[in-house]
Amino acid sequence: MSVRHALLALLSEGPKYGLQLRQEFEARTGDVWPLNVGQVYTTLQRLERDGLVEADDTTEEGPQKGFHITEDGAAELAQWLRTPPDFSSPPRDELVIKVLVALGLPGVDIHDVVQVHRRYLVELMQQWTRLKEDESRFDLNFALVVDAELFRLDSLLRWLDTAEGRLKRAAAGVDAPLPQAGPLPKARRKVGNRS
Amino acid sequence: MSYLELHDVSKTYGDGIAQVHALQGVALSVDAGSLVAVMGASGSGKSTLLTIAGSLEDPTRGEVFVDGRPLSTLSRNGKARLRRQSIGYVFQDYNLLAGLSALENVSLPLELDGVAARKAQGVALEALEDFGLTDRASHFPDQLSGGERQRVAIARAVVGGRRLLLADEPSGALDSTNAEAVMRQILAACHRGMAAVVVTHDAQLASWADRVVFLRDGRIVDQTMPAQRPEAFLADLPNA
């Protein structure tokens, strides 16, 4: 979560003061990521030091002190929005590590280990889905946050399901990789060659 | 109060070396008004569980109770009557009759049960209204989107005060928006007092349930704990 860039985004809409930034940040993120006001002011000071925001001259010091974005700040925000996060290297996912470690341990039933994590993930998904049921709370920002969390948890569950399928095949002696795309049959290859 | 109960239910297909134990000692109870999801890999016994719960197949061992009645005591006709009057089924491929309109599809089970056509269609229209499908009543299945077809199928499954809804991968062929609409509809039926069992391999679908049970190799191996209140869950989230 880049608080720094989230604050720049809020200031790109117009000048704001610290408390207001905190309230709007929380509202925009569906009240899922609470922010303490100290974090807001520390971040604003750094942004000011880097020339990305400026304090308004006209406003007073303290909680009512206003800030506005600079040209450099707007350019930094535009650049950040279009820069994909770094997904190039696999994270050291604790769940993956636990399953890999469990594989080699005597006396550990890997299916039990997988099931413990599966149940926990489904329980978390149930909690997030429950939040969808209350439509009075369910604005667009909140819906997007909940969806993101559900898809993240779901991807972990799918990995667990796939892992368990692979382990079962391996235990049954069918431990070769899934069928691979071999060379195409002759007739089709000919078609391919022509194109 | 449990509307559906499975006591030590087992189902075996085939003999000798070809014998398959599709279900082994399954115990499950589903209260009126609650939604239970059954998750498991392909071949884990999910669909068998559903067909046995719905009296479409008999267990090899054990007993199924629907509204307190043991299914083994019902005749073939008695089971058929129970299915017509109390149980609604939802399948992945909708199973709507192509030559009938949405309204006729929904009213059909009532008419088959002896309700006069005019009255049956009135009740069916109410069911379609409940799910926001009034303007689709005269459409034929091929004039409906996949999501609408499934929602009509759910209206058909709940029409006429049925009490048990059994759904097999009800949103398997739908995108996530329509899948959510289908689950909201099933949940709405539960809020009106239906007991529902949804079998699925899709966790996003299962997460709408009050309880998720996990099947592996024909056995229930685990189930989720009841969820916290949403306020408590949100309050417990770690800060950014």
Side-chain angles (χ1 to χ4, degrees):
Chain A
M1 166 63 55
S2 173
V3 174
R4 178 181 167 90
H5 291 98
L7 296 188
L8 277 182
L10 290 171
L11 287 170
S12 72
E13 299 168 346
K16 286 168 187 169
Y17 53 89
L19 276 178
Q20 188 183 1
L21 283 167
R22 175 194 169 189
Q23 284 163 358
E24 290 189 14
F25 175 88
E26 292 186 352
R28 297 289 179 89
T29 55
D31 287 320
V32 171
W33 290 292
L35 197 60
N36 73 53
V37 77
Q39 203 175 355
V40 173
Y41 284 110
T42 312
T43 309
L44 282 170
Q45 280 166 7
R46 288 187 188 140
L47 288 169
E48 193 175 18
R49 178 199 65 197
D50 297 342
L52 303 179
V53 305
E54 284 172 351
D56 292 341
D57 296 332
T58 52
T59 50
E60 54 199 88
E61 289 295 314
Q64 297 298 323
K65 184 176 178 182
F67 290 87
H68 61 266
I69 194 166
T70 63
E71 269 186 33
D72 283 354
E76 167 71 20
L77 174 64
Q79 174 72 18
W80 176 75
L81 285 174
R82 286 162 182 76
T83 306
D86 183 11
F87 291 129
S88 56
S89 53
R92 283 194 191 183
D93 190 294
E94 193 179 339
L95 179 67
V96 178
I97 291 169
K98 280 180 199 282
V99 171
L100 291 176
V101 167
L103 267 181
L105 290 182
V108 173
D109 184 333
I110 187 69
H111 298 292
D112 287 348
V113 173
V114 166
Q115 180 55 35
V116 167
H117 298 301
R118 178 185 285 126
R119 186 189 63 222
Y120 174 69
L121 290 167
V122 172
E123 284 174 346
L124 272 181
M125 289 179 72
Q126 284 178 289
Q127 291 284 178
W128 284 102
T129 302
R130 274 199 146 196
L131 299 174
K132 289 192 192 184
E133 287 179 40
D134 181 1
E135 294 190 3
S136 63
R137 183 214 306 272
F138 210 58
D139 63 18
L140 178 62
N141 292 305
F142 188 57
L144 292 171
V145 171
V146 171
D147 284 343
E149 197 52 22
L150 281 169
F151 277 98
R152 186 179 74 84
L153 296 168
D154 195 18
S155 72
L156 294 170
L157 266 164
R158 284 166 184 248
W159 176 75
L160 280 179
D161 290 345
T162 305
E164 193 164 46
R166 277 192 196 283
L167 292 166
K168 267 190 168 176
R169 283 196 302 278
V174 196
D175 54 355
L178 287 171
Q180 301 203 349
L184 289 170
K186 267 188 177 173
R188 297 185 87 189
R189 245 188 311 180
K190 276 183 189 164
V191 173
N193 290 341
R194 259 189 244 139
S195 62
Chain B
M1 168 77 186
S2 293
Y3 190 77
L4 170 70
E5 285 189 37
L6 276 68
H7 288 189
D8 194 25
V9 164
S10 297
K11 180 69 180 179
T12 305
Y13 297 105
D15 291 312
I17 198 167
Q19 201 170 57
V20 175
H21 299 288
L23 291 179
Q24 300 185 70
V26 167
L28 179 69
S29 69
V30 184
D31 292 346
S34 84
L35 171 57
V36 171
V38 180
M39 288 191 79
S42 295
S44 60
K46 303 190 299 287
S47 295
T48 304
L49 188 152
L50 210 63
T51 54
I52 288 177
S55 84
L56 294 166
E57 270 191 295
D58 293 327
T60 311
R61 201 184 70 212
E63 184 63 271
V64 178
F65 296 83
V66 174
D67 201 12
R69 281 174 293 178
L71 295 188
S72 64
T73 63
L74 298 181
S75 65
R76 196 180 156 87
N77 283 343
K79 284 181 191 160
R81 193 178 315 115
L82 175 81
R83 287 196 293 270
R84 282 201 308 274
Q85 296 178 344
S86 301
I87 306 177
Y89 301 87
V90 176
F91 305 95
Q92 181 174 342
D93 50 4
Y94 325 127
N95 283 5
L96 296 177
L97 295 176
L100 300 183
S101 68
L103 181 66
E104 289 163 342
N105 264 288
V106 176
S107 68
L108 184 65
L110 299 174
E111 292 181 48
L112 289 175
D113 202 35
V115 179
R118 183 182 291 261
K119 187 175 176 194
Q121 294 209 347
V123 175
L125 193 58
E126 280 174 23
L128 288 173
E129 275 170 12
D130 283 347
F131 295 124
L133 290 161
T134 315
D135 59 343
R136 294 287 183 269
S138 61
H139 288 54
F140 289 88
D142 64 357
Q143 296 170 312
L144 299 169
S145 70
E148 288 168 341
R149 279 180 222 174
Q150 192 59 300
R151 287 163 60 210
V152 169
I154 295 171
R156 180 183 59 183
V158 306
V159 74
R162 293 216 189 84
R163 307 274 308 281
L164 177 61
L165 178 67
L166 301 173
D168 194 350
E169 300 284 4
S171 66
L174 302 175
D175 62 36
S176 56
T177 305
N178 277 302
E180 182 171 324
V182 161
M183 288 313 291
R184 282 185 185 277
Q185 199 168 340
I186 290 175
L187 204 63
C190 291
H191 289 160
R192 289 177 206 148
M194 277 190 102
V197 181
V198 175
V199 305
T200 182
H201 68 279
D202 181 342
Q204 297 223 24
L205 214 67
S207 66
W208 286 90
D210 301 304
R211 184 159 50 105
V212 181
V213 301
F214 299 91
L215 263 188
R216 186 164 78 219
D217 300 330
R219 297 177 193 275
I220 290 182
V221 293
D222 205 358
Q223 62 177 316
T224 58
M225 301 296 285
Q228 284 178 285
R229 284 184 306 107
E231 295 73 24
F233 172 66
L234 276 179
D236 284 351
L237 286 178
N239 289 0

